[in-house]
Amino acid sequence: MTEDRGAGSGAIAGEQKYLYRYAITRLRDPDLAEDLVQDTILAAMEASERFQGRASLRTWLVSILRNKIIDALKARTRVVSLETDQSVDESLESEIDQQFDANGRWKMSLRPLAWADPEATLENTEFWTVFERCLEHVPPRTAEVFVLREVLGESIADICKILDISASNCSVLLFRARMRLRGCLDEHWFRGRPRDDR
Amino acid sequence: MISDGMDRHLTLRERLRIRLHLLMCTGCLQFSRQLDILRMAARTFAERATRKGGQLPYRGTP
């Protein structure tokens, strides 16, 4: 195998750590992440002559891994029983309802207040611990839709196809995930810090 | 509808309704800003963890 055509096995394997980090943040399941990374590396080695060096090796590997992650999320959704998630979803729904009055307006005491200095926040290591904990408190199916949309950047149309749900169902799940996350971050991070209401 | 607007193109009418509402509702104005920050955070979250040398967010390394 020459250097300018195809990719060497060593170079492919050298990307394993990077690929694992990529997978773990999107799947939140160390064993599954490791499996998918290994599948990706094996698939890449088998197809290495197809890698023409147009994109970087890493980009090519990530595109293979990304498809595997989406397939895994699809399979996992089928396994998660709709009923168990439903009761969790209902409690999340009432948690959201409680933030609004009878006219559908924010209750005065629960009205969102400005989050100070988002740029500095995203540089703060402690913030990420809080963010991660908050993400863990979103019900699994709801969290999956959020990850597909906001982390993987999929369109609603594609998420509907991947998870086999309707567009309106998808919007509802996204709304719930965002409400839960913003509430959690507000409570555990932003509240008590100086606000800049503008 | 603010949440929806992050995922699909709203009609002109829908966008106007939101604009007008945000002028008088500081709760929704801040909510809308927070959703933007949340999106930024979700993307940064993935990038940070993927970057080499970054801390693994979860237990169990291969």
Side-chain angles (χ1 to χ4, degrees):
Chain A
M1 202 178 298
T2 56
E3 280 302 307
D4 50 347
R5 281 208 50 208
S9 304
I12 294 174
E15 295 291 332
Q16 175 165 349
K17 240 185 171 154
Y18 177 88
L19 295 174
Y20 180 75
R21 288 174 197 282
Y22 184 95
I24 192 77
T25 46
R26 285 148 177 93
L27 285 163
R28 302 190 291 163
D29 177 342
D31 294 336
L32 182 59
E34 195 180 341
D35 280 352
L36 295 187
V37 168
Q38 287 175 359
D39 288 351
T40 300
I41 289 174
L42 293 175
M45 284 175 176
E46 280 162 17
S48 64
E49 71 285 351
R50 268 193 269 139
F51 175 70
Q52 299 284 343
R54 276 188 303 264
S56 80
L57 176 63
R58 182 171 282 184
T59 310
W60 180 59
L61 291 170
V62 165
S63 69
I64 301 173
L65 176 60
R66 191 185 154 92
N67 284 327
K68 293 193 184 295
I69 291 173
I70 289 173
D71 286 343
L73 287 174
K74 222 191 271 188
R76 197 158 70 177
T77 320
R78 275 187 228 115
V79 176
V80 174
S81 149
L82 287 180
E83 275 136 65
T84 52
D85 228 47
Q86 204 134 30
S87 60
V88 188
D89 277 351
E90 272 160 25
S91 74
L92 190 49
E93 191 63 45
S94 67
E95 174 189 305
I96 292 170
D97 284 345
Q98 279 163 17
Q99 300 179 47
F100 298 95
D101 65 20
N103 297 320
R105 296 184 189 282
W106 295 97
K107 283 184 188 161
M108 217 40 199
S109 57
L110 298 170
R111 189 170 46 98
L113 298 171
W115 285 355
D117 213 351
E119 285 83 10
T121 299
L122 301 187
E123 300 284 316
N124 190 319
T125 321
E126 284 167 57
F127 169 78
W128 294 107
T129 314
V130 175
F131 184 85
E132 214 182 295
R133 293 232 183 91
C134 285
L135 196 55
E136 279 164 16
H137 282 93
V138 179
R141 203 159 50 101
T142 312
E144 247 148 46
V145 178
F146 182 81
V147 168
L148 279 167
R149 177 73 191 125
E150 303 292 27
V151 182
L152 289 166
E154 294 292 334
S155 69
I156 292 293
D158 286 337
I159 296 173
C160 293
K161 260 184 260 162
I162 293 165
L163 300 181
D164 194 24
I165 55 178
S166 70
S168 62
N169 193 352
C170 192
S171 308
V172 170
L173 293 176
L174 273 172
F175 175 67
R176 287 178 185 160
R178 287 170 178 149
M179 284 299 279
R180 168 62 71 91
L181 278 171
R182 78 146 282 281
C184 183
L185 291 176
D186 192 64
E187 186 178 340
H188 297 288
W189 181 263
F190 289 100
R191 197 170 297 174
R193 280 162 211 275
R195 313 261 184 181
D196 50 351
D197 277 291
R198 261 169 294 158
Chain B
M1 203 191 282
I2 293 173
S3 172
D4 257 7
M6 301 189 75
D7 309 313
R8 67 174 173 94
H9 271 291
L10 299 178
T11 64
L12 180 62
R13 202 186 171 79
E14 286 172 327
R15 287 203 301 275
L16 270 174
R17 285 174 62 101
I18 290 181
R19 282 266 184 83
L20 289 171
H21 180 73
L22 294 187
L23 284 175
M24 45 166 251
C25 175
T26 61
C28 287
L29 178 65
Q30 295 307 338
F31 176 72
S32 162
R33 287 180 180 165
Q34 289 173 3
L35 290 195
D36 287 335
I37 298 172
L38 198 54
R39 169 164 287 179
M40 211 154 65
R43 288 178 186 166
T44 315
F45 175 64
E47 277 163 26
R48 274 177 63 91
T50 314
R51 244 185 350 229
K52 75 170 189 260
Q55 255 193 327
L56 276 186
Y58 302 100
R59 273 167 288 124
T61 39

